[in-house]
Amino acid sequence: MKERQKMHFKSKNPEETVEYIQYILKQHQIEVEEEWKDESLANTYSLRLSIKNTNIGTNGKGLTKGYARASAYAEFLERFQNNLLSIYPRTRLSEDNIYYSYDEKLMEVKDVIEDNNELIKKLFKDRNIENANFDEKSDLLLRLHKAEYMLTKRQNIFITVPFYSKRKKGVNYLPYNIYASMYGSNGMCAGNTPQEAIIQGLSEIIERYVQKKIIQGQYSLPDIPIQYIEKFPEIYVRYKKLKSIEGFSFFLKDCSLGGKYPVAALVIVENNSGYFGVKLGCHPDFGVAMERALTEAAQGGNITDYCRRSKLDFSNNFVDNEVNITNTFKTGRGQYPYSLFKKEKSFEFIPVRDVSEMNDQSVLDYMINEVIGEEYDILIRDVSYLNFPSFHIIIPNMSEMGSGDNKGFDLVAGMTLVEYLINNPGEINEKNCPILLYVLYTVSRMDLNSSLSVLSGTLLHNDMIPGEEFNLGWLYMVVLCYVYQNNYEKASEKMNLFEDICSGRGVKIKPFFRAVNYYITGMLEMKSHEKTIEYLKLFFEEEICQKLDNIFCNPADVFKKSYIYHDVRIKEDCVKRGCCDYHLYQDLIRLMKKAQLKNMIQQERVGSYLCEIS
């Protein structure tokens, strides 16, 4: 192994990285705590790094404890400096007349159109209106603007922030809420140097891009020859150990699509079950690409658990669905085409370029010019406000987390309404209840989006949301929607599903939820609240029956009696109840805005990292 490979292509050893980031956190009085997981069967390590006494934080993984720790701390600053450490920052105007960042610009719709960046071009081209008149383009942008308008109440004003455009060799302004909805955290990155960070961000983008191509193209992947894996001893010894685990089959696959993309995959098959898991990893060095596939599959649990992410399905149901593909991006959970395992491979194994003796600048040039190519513009935003190199990279037509169609933006607007309703349950009414149901059903299929704590936008604690302790807060709210609508047949169907899911997970359901299920069945058959409660008193404790009586005696009141009214403007109430982490998170956002003010970044400097500006 070359020296660069021994250092995992990092410019500093992991202890130095952690020490520097800890210094930054201490400067800003941010206390964090580490929660380590057991060493995995692949001899890899992972941990959760969180703000002390909260769930706000990031995960780290690596072949050693040192690299896992550095991974967690670097990702913490990556997300923190990008203002996405936890919830999507649907924020309102601050006391300094700032929404998101001190370099933001408020632009009218005509200015957004005239900026003519590659993101705006994509929005128009995808809808076949690139040659349309101003009014048609304006109408589209204002439709996509609905969620932002609900927050700002400014009809024709878009909040935009600057990105450096590689193609333009200058700055473009992207509408914040539009790009955030389409790209999420994809392409966010951090590293010891700007080049190291940007390589990391491009690698994440390419990994997901290739993953989508494999699913949509229904490719069959060749094995990476064992003689090639032996060139990377740290990977070889772990792969050999995995191959010896009984009851499972492990494969390292070449996802380069003919030697172009430095992407590898670990495929885990649970024997005699039909279950399997696929985890891709990308890095210009193929050894690090394989390493990432291993460490991410083992992150937070046993690596053999990862095989339960997918199931063999010869009908290929749901495979090409956008939600399915996005779920594979986020958690690896989703359906892959059965052709993945076809004997005849879609291409032969071809080694990707050896970068082991190249410096970061040369590696970055290779990634940009040979792997990505001139077909795409690369938009990069420097957010290194705390002086740890961090960026957000967007590559239109490559790095989208979703299609960005009108339906997707309508869902974002609906989620903005639902955010308000979760915090103001007494405001749920006949008009908005169907919208609430639509959003809950839609996000229930989206990994990491169905949590009511996340949907609340205010970091409500799980114990404040019934059903959330089982990750089924959304489903219990669906049940209550049907009770509110006096549709006890649907309510019964969904409450049975609630119990079935808990049972399938081996989770013991609380007596209260079982009583709710019986209550709904009683109402379905007898249509009498009083009679149903009388029967239940024979089977459940008085406290449970009193709670049922109070919540369900009037269907119009089920929401305000089941959920707390959560006005985050009254900080004293939140502190007294201990109901959320909202105010702590807002303190972090204010801290970051102060850092922005002290360290105003001119995005043109990104060009110097790409060797375009001396």
Side-chain angles (χ1 to χ4, degrees):
M1 291 179 68
K2 307 288 174 56
E3 193 60 34
R4 292 270 284 155
Q5 292 173 318
K6 291 177 182 177
M7 286 288 290
H8 300 257
F9 285 78
K10 304 297 182 185
S11 61
K12 294 181 180 179
N13 66 51
E15 291 73 25
E16 290 177 300
T17 301
V18 171
E19 184 179 356
Y20 178 53
I21 296 175
Q22 286 179 329
Y23 167 75
I24 292 172
L25 297 178
K26 187 175 181 180
Q27 273 189 316
H28 293 88
Q29 298 180 319
I30 299 173
E31 291 187 77
V32 294
E33 52 192 1
E34 302 172 8
E35 181 186 354
W36 284 89
K37 308 298 181 183
D38 292 336
E39 181 182 356
S40 78
L41 292 172
N43 299 127
T44 63
Y45 300 86
S46 62
L47 75 156
R48 176 74 178 174
L49 181 72
S50 305
I51 299 282
K52 196 170 183 179
N53 298 321
T54 76
N55 292 320
I56 300 170
T58 51
N59 300 315
K61 61 275 179 187
L63 293 186
T64 69
K65 279 195 167 185
Y67 279 110
R69 202 161 175 245
S71 166
Y73 276 88
E75 185 168 327
F76 187 95
L77 278 196
E78 165 201 312
R79 295 301 182 91
F80 186 27
Q81 294 181 111
N82 269 291
N83 263 347
L84 202 64
L85 188 56
S86 185
I87 53 175
Y88 175 77
R90 297 188 183 99
T91 187
R92 290 166 177 81
L93 197 62
S94 72
E95 57 272 14
D96 296 328
N97 294 322
I98 293 297
Y99 287 101
Y100 299 109
S101 173
Y102 276 97
D103 62 355
E104 71 191 24
K105 182 189 290 187
L106 303 184
M107 297 172 66
E108 295 184 3
V109 65
K110 66 179 180 62
D111 300 316
V112 174
I113 293 172
E114 288 172 1
D115 194 66
N116 199 35
N117 58 67
E118 291 301 316
L119 171 61
I120 298 301
K121 288 180 182 178
K122 173 181 172 56
L123 294 173
F124 295 151
K125 186 175 181 181
D126 286 352
R127 294 160 176 83
N128 297 314
I129 62 169
E130 64 265 44
N131 298 316
N133 60 35
F134 171 82
D135 288 340
E136 286 184 81
K137 292 179 177 179
S138 176
D139 288 345
L140 169 69
L141 289 178
L142 290 176
R143 175 175 181 175
L144 307 186
H145 183 54
K146 284 192 295 185
E148 185 174 302
Y149 171 64
M150 292 167 72
L151 293 166
T152 67
K153 309 302 181 191
R154 305 178 81 161
Q155 177 65 46
N156 193 37
I157 299 296
F158 291 76
I159 307 164
T160 69
V161 295
F163 278 70
Y164 180 83
S165 163
K166 184 185 183 304
R167 181 172 291 167
K168 180 181 175 182
K169 293 183 170 55
V171 170
N172 282 134
Y173 279 82
L174 306 189
Y176 181 92
N177 284 287
I178 288 179
Y179 83 71
S181 298
M182 292 174 64
Y183 297 91
S185 64
N186 195 23
M188 289 184 181
C189 53
N192 296 297
T193 67
Q195 291 80 6
E196 183 182 302
I198 294 170
I199 289 168
Q200 164 63 25
L202 294 177
S203 295
E204 178 179 83
I205 288 170
I206 292 165
E207 174 191 315
R208 288 170 169 168
Y209 174 73
V210 168
Q211 189 165 341
K212 184 175 182 179
K213 287 180 75 73
I214 289 170
I215 293 173
Q216 292 183 327
Q218 301 191 11
Y219 296 134
S220 175
L221 305 173
D223 290 325
I224 301 172
I226 197 68
Q227 298 89 342
Y228 185 83
I229 299 172
E230 287 175 344
K231 295 179 180 181
F232 308 93
E234 291 180 318
I235 305 303
Y236 174 69
V237 68
R238 287 169 171 82
Y239 183 51
K240 192 175 178 182
K241 181 179 180 181
L242 291 177
K243 298 282 276 185
S244 69
I245 298 175
E246 292 185 6
F248 298 88
S249 299
F250 292 83
F251 309 91
L252 277 170
K253 296 285 188 176
D254 170 25
C255 304
S256 69
L257 308 188
K260 179 174 175 60
Y261 301 104
V263 182
L266 178 69
V267 178
I268 310 171
V269 174
E270 182 181 27
N271 298 342
N272 304 318
S273 72
Y275 285 102
F276 65 96
V278 180
K279 187 69 199 80
L280 278 69
C282 176
H283 188 271
D285 180 82
F286 213 63
V288 177
M290 290 187 284
E291 171 189 329
R292 289 186 174 167
L294 285 170
T295 58
E296 291 186 22
Q299 180 177 291
N302 258 325
I303 195 168
T304 50
D305 294 340
Y306 198 86
C307 69
R308 286 270 166 172
R309 306 291 169 114
S310 308
K311 189 176 182 179
L312 182 64
D313 182 359
F314 288 112
S315 65
N316 273 350
N317 283 331
F318 203 57
V319 163
D320 202 23
N321 181 278
E322 180 183 332
V323 172
N324 179 63
I325 293 173
T326 303
N327 284 343
T328 66
F329 290 164
K330 292 179 177 178
T331 64
R333 193 179 312 281
Q335 282 302 112
Y336 282 80
Y338 68 86
S339 56
L340 184 74
F341 299 96
K342 192 166 58 174
K343 187 175 181 181
E344 299 79 17
K345 305 307 175 187
S346 301
F347 50 88
E348 297 299 319
F349 170 76
I350 299 176
V352 296
R353 184 172 176 177
D354 182 359
V355 300
S356 59
E357 295 185 350
M358 294 166 59
N359 62 28
D360 276 345
Q361 194 65 64
S362 298
V363 171
L364 182 54
D365 291 344
Y366 156 65
M367 291 283 279
I368 289 173
N369 298 315
E370 296 186 36
V371 180
I372 295 173
E374 296 182 359
E375 178 184 352
Y376 302 96
D377 191 12
I378 301 174
L379 303 167
I380 305 177
R381 176 165 169 77
D382 187 348
V383 296
S384 312
Y385 301 110
L386 300 180
N387 294 313
F388 188 77
S390 300
F391 303 86
H392 192 184
I393 305 171
I394 288 173
I395 307 180
N397 298 303
M398 176 179 271
S399 66
E400 292 79 19
M401 289 292 281
S403 67
D405 60 8
N406 292 352
K407 188 176 178 182
F409 279 96
D410 290 343
L411 174 62
V412 172
M415 290 169 71
T416 304
L417 171 63
V418 168
E419 176 182 308
Y420 173 78
L421 295 178
I422 291 172
N423 292 285
N424 299 271
E427 299 296 318
I428 299 174
N429 55 41
E430 291 181 7
K431 184 177 180 180
N432 58 42
C433 189
I435 299 172
L436 176 59
L437 270 171
Y438 168 75
V439 171
L440 292 173
Y441 274 128
T442 304
V443 301
S444 71
R445 298 183 292 117
M446 301 164 64
D447 284 0
L448 307 182
N449 282 88
S450 61
S451 162
L452 289 197
S453 178
V454 172
L455 280 174
S456 75
T458 55
L459 294 174
L460 269 169
H461 292 165
N462 286 355
D463 57 2
M464 295 288 159
I465 305 170
E468 198 74 353
E469 64 266 48
F470 311 119
N471 297 315
L472 291 174
W474 71 270
L475 183 53
Y476 187 70
M477 186 170 265
V478 165
V479 171
L480 295 188
C481 283
Y482 287 126
V483 171
Y484 176 82
Q485 295 175 336
N486 284 291
N487 187 343
Y488 287 99
E489 184 174 355
K490 274 287 186 181
S492 178
E493 174 189 321
K494 298 308 174 186
M495 200 62 214
N496 283 329
L497 177 61
F498 185 101
E499 282 212 43
D500 289 344
I501 292 174
C502 288
S503 176
R505 295 173 180 170
V507 175
K508 186 177 181 181
I509 194 170
K510 293 180 179 178
F512 171 74
F513 291 112
R514 182 150 289 142
V516 169
N517 201 353
Y518 279 114
Y519 172 83
I520 292 170
T521 305
M523 288 297 294
L524 181 61
E525 298 298 330
M526 295 185 293
K527 298 178 176 55
S528 168
H529 171 79
E530 291 76 13
K531 288 181 181 179
T532 301
I533 293 294
E534 283 302 314
Y535 276 104
L536 293 180
K537 284 180 179 178
L538 298 172
F539 294 89
F540 290 91
E541 294 174 358
E542 183 178 352
E543 183 181 351
I544 292 174
C545 293
Q546 285 178 349
K547 187 175 179 180
L548 287 174
D549 190 16
N550 176 54
I551 292 173
F552 293 102
C553 62
N554 181 4
D557 294 334
V558 290
F559 294 109
K560 64 183 181 183
K561 289 184 176 180
S562 297
Y563 302 95
I564 66 168
Y565 173 70
H566 188 219
D567 188 347
V568 292
R569 294 172 298 179
I570 309 173
K571 183 176 180 178
E572 297 76 17
D573 283 0
C574 289
V575 172
K576 184 178 179 180
R577 291 188 293 190
C579 58
C580 68
D581 291 327
Y582 177 83
H583 298 284
L584 186 149
Y585 193 63
Q586 289 302 310
D587 288 342
L588 291 172
I589 289 177
R590 280 190 283 270
L591 188 158
M592 183 51 57
K593 285 180 178 176
K594 286 181 182 178
Q596 292 171 355
L597 197 56
K598 288 181 180 179
N599 185 16
M600 294 292 284
I601 294 173
Q602 300 301 316
Q603 296 302 322
E604 287 85 353
R605 81 180 189 183
V606 172
S608 65
Y609 307 144
L610 309 181
C611 283
E612 295 178 338
I613 300 173
S614 61

